[in-house]
Amino acid sequence: FVLDKMNELFSEKNVDFYIVIFPSPGNFFINNQRYISTMKEYCLKKDCILINLFDDFLNDSNYKEYYLINDDHFNIKGHKYFSDAIIKNLN
């Protein structure tokens, strides 16, 4: 499992391991709680830090403006939105 290997490496080097989860446009239409819970449990067990950006996204009805048209990749506005959200969570 890739996350386990990364977690081991960071732990050996005494570096904090952050995992950031964020949605794609399709996540707006499904229940994401199982995925979010799984990632929370993982970070609790492995002593890593979870930054969950799902709540911010799912509460924003203008979510489409953060992605390229017909694509799951961020546009410039999306990169700004999510980078600001990550920085906010780090502080």
Side-chain angles (χ1 to χ4, degrees):
F1 190 53
V2 174
L3 289 179
D4 289 335
K5 294 291 184 188
M6 290 175 64
N7 195 37
E8 287 174 26
L9 179 63
F10 284 115
S11 182
E12 289 170 9
K13 303 293 182 187
N14 199 28
V15 174
D16 290 335
F17 181 35
Y18 289 80
I19 296 177
V20 179
I21 58 173
F22 52 87
S24 65
N27 291 111
F28 195 78
F29 304 103
I30 62 173
N31 184 338
N32 301 288
Q33 290 310 308
R34 186 171 181 189
Y35 172 67
I36 294 167
S37 294
T38 298
M39 295 308 296
K40 283 180 182 178
E41 289 174 26
Y42 179 84
C43 284
L44 284 173
K45 288 180 189 173
K46 300 292 184 173
D47 197 30
C48 56
I49 301 158
L50 179 68
I51 297 177
N52 174 8
L53 300 181
F54 272 79
D55 292 338
D56 290 343
F57 169 82
L58 296 176
N59 290 326
D60 189 337
S61 61
N62 297 321
Y63 70 93
K64 289 182 182 179
E65 68 186 49
Y66 302 122
Y67 295 90
L68 298 171
I69 296 171
N70 296 323
D71 198 328
D72 287 349
H73 294 92
F74 301 132
N75 59 24
I76 292 171
K77 191 172 184 175
H79 280 287
K80 173 88 171 101
Y81 177 86
F82 283 102
S83 64
D84 288 346
I86 291 168
I87 290 168
K88 180 178 128 189
N89 279 274
L90 289 174
N91 292 330

